[in-house]
Structures are given as structure tokens and as C-alpha cells.
Amino acid sequence: EPAPRTTIADGFKGERLTYKIGFWIFDNVAEGGVSLKKEDDGTYTGTLTAHTTGVVDKIILSRQDTYVSHMALSDDGTRFVSLSFEKTVDKNGSVRHGTTEFDYDKHVMTWKSWGGGGGDKSGAYTFPADVTPVDPITAFYNFRAGSYGAIERGKEYVIQSFPKEDRVPNITIRVDTAEDAKKRDLPDNVDYLAFARIDKELFGSTSGDIEIYFTSKMVPVYAVAKDILFFGDVRGTLARTVVREKPEKLASTTPQP
């Protein structure tokens, strides 16, 4: 019998990354994590969470963010495809929800949001037949696996994201050059520094800018989400990595240093 086909998911199944988070002058005042699991129906769920802890949670602001991406494999297995995306933000008990669903047969994305004092909103957008928009979590795994091209210093990656009104905005990721890396004196375990820009509404940022520090195997060990409302620059440092299944990435999409 032929050997089972290797897909992008084999590099991430069971992966759980846990982060200590800081902002302002404080360190370790929140916790976060990102994980991927395979569901019984063959789809995949990527989850990003963050919540305040300790004194900040009790006195300054209690906040818990949860972002969930439901994904399927592309026909060739080299990338993830967004099926739906869920966002929940709880600020001191005031909870705002949002959902987005993709219909690739009809080329329509539908969305709705409710709660948290923001009113009920909904809509539907049409995207071109040759466009496969992805949510930020799907883009995160695809980028790490090299689905948008091998990771190269100085290269910029343009990823089509959620449709908005009459346009499909992009997620952009630029990898620093070797010269930039030397100037920044990056830690020994950091091989790539990526400058990402996403929809600023996702995390409540005024810029949408994120700096992500990757190892040679594209594990994000440190990140800074810029200009978050109320919090300013939010820093995340990798505290623990759990891999329940041995990773085995596609040879054609493994990032090369």
C-alpha cells in the first residue's frame, strides 16, 4: 500500500505554544496560547487565546480574548483553507462576539457581531473567484510552513484576508534582511524577525502592526503587538512548547534559512 500522504498539518498537529504576556512597565501580567488540533470530521481548529492575570486582572482591567479558526486542507495538502472564524472579547464581563463564514462555491463571506454594547451587526461580501481569503490564524500556520513561499530574508509576503465592502484587504509580512538582523543584535535562538500588518480591528490596534521573532524552524519565541488600545505595545514571550505528535513537514514547503 502507498504511504500516507504528508500534508501541512503533519508539522503542527498537537502543537501548543504558551506565552507570558506583558505591557506598559509590567511583565507576566497575562497569559496566552496558540494551538492546533485535528477534529473527528477531518477539519482542523486553530485557537489563539489571551487573558489578564493577577493584579492587572483584579484591579486595572479583566480581559479575555479568544480567536478560533476552523480550517480544511487544500486539495494538494500544502496549505490550510479558512472555513470560519470566531472572535470573542470579554472586557470586565462585557462580551463581544463575532463570526465569519466562507462559502467558496458562491464566493461569499458572511459575518455577524453582537454583544458588548456594540449593537448587532451583520453583512455579506462577495470576493473574486480567483481569490481564497484566509483569516489571520490560517495565515499564521500557512506562513510558518512556507505555503506562501520559502522564508527568505528581505522578502515580503502578501496574503489576501477578509473581504471588506468592495475590496479584499491584505495581510502583509516582511522578513528582515541580514543587515537589519545584525543591527538589532537578535538573541541566539532567533533566526528571523517578521514585520506583519493585519486588520487593525482584530486586536483593537491603531496600526495593526506585529513583530514576530522566529527560530530557524519557524517557532515564534517572541512577539510584540503594537499600539493596542489601552495597553500600548503588548509583548509575548514563549514559555512552553508542547508537541503531542511528531512533526513532519512537507519537504517542498519546509522553510530554508
Side-chain angles (χ1 to χ4, degrees), residues 11-86:
F12 300 115
K13 279 190 300 185
E15 179 188 75
R16 180 179 296 274
L17 307 175
T18 303
Y19 293 85
K20 295 180 178 179
I21 298 173
F23 53 86
W24 299 343
I25 62 172
F26 306 112
D27 291 321
N28 303 335
V29 292
E31 296 178 354
V34 58
S35 63
L36 180 76
K37 70 173 183 176
K38 185 177 182 179
E39 303 294 350
D40 293 339
D41 63 358
T43 62
Y44 295 84
T45 300
T47 304
L48 170 65
T49 62
H51 64 274
T52 51
T53 60
V55 174
V56 168
D57 185 72
K58 291 180 173 60
I59 299 177
I60 300 176
L61 176 65
S62 175
R63 175 167 174 167
Q64 180 169 335
D65 291 29
T66 304
Y67 307 88
V68 180
S69 172
H70 299 282
M71 302 172 283
L73 291 174
S74 61
D75 291 340
D76 61 5
T78 62
R79 60 186 173 86
F80 287 116
V81 178
S82 299
L83 299 177
S84 64
F85 184 73
E86 303 163 8

Side-chain angles (χ1 to χ4, degrees), residues 166-213:
D166 60 346
R167 64 187 179 87
V168 180
N170 296 323
I171 296 172
T172 59
I173 305 174
R174 179 178 61 83
V175 179
D176 66 339
T177 64
E179 292 74 15
D180 290 337
K182 290 180 180 179
K183 291 178 182 178
R184 285 178 173 265
D185 192 24
L186 299 176
D188 292 339
N189 65 333
V190 173
D191 285 76
Y192 302 104
L193 169 57
F195 302 92
R197 174 164 289 180
I198 65 173
D199 180 6
K200 60 185 180 182
E201 296 177 4
L202 181 67
F203 297 134
S205 167
T206 59
S207 65
D209 291 341
I210 305 175
E211 294 180 0
I212 310 174
Y213 297 70

Side-chain angles (χ1 to χ4, degrees), residues 7 11 71 96 116 194 207 217 235 237:
T7 71
M71 302 172 283
R96 183 74 175 169
S207 65
K217 295 184 178 181
R235 311 176 299 276
T237 303

Side-chain angles (χ1 to χ4, degrees), residues 78-152:
T78 62
R79 60 186 173 86
F80 287 116
V81 178
S82 299
L83 299 177
S84 64
F85 184 73
E86 303 163 8
K87 172 182 176 180
T88 304
V89 178
D90 182 339
K91 297 180 182 178
N92 289 330
S94 179
V95 184
R96 183 74 175 169
H97 301 274
T99 63
T100 304
E101 296 183 352
F102 299 89
D103 186 328
Y104 295 102
D105 292 330
K106 298 180 179 178
H107 312 297
V108 173
M109 179 202 78
T110 56
W111 64 273
K112 60 181 178 180
S113 56
W114 68 96
D120 295 351
K121 301 178 181 179
S122 63
Y125 297 131
T126 301
F127 52 88
D130 59 347
V131 170
T132 305
V134 297
D135 64 79
I137 294 178
T138 301
F140 170 73
Y141 285 110
N142 285 346
F143 173 72
R144 290 175 60 198
S147 301
Y148 303 124
I151 308 303
E152 299 178 10

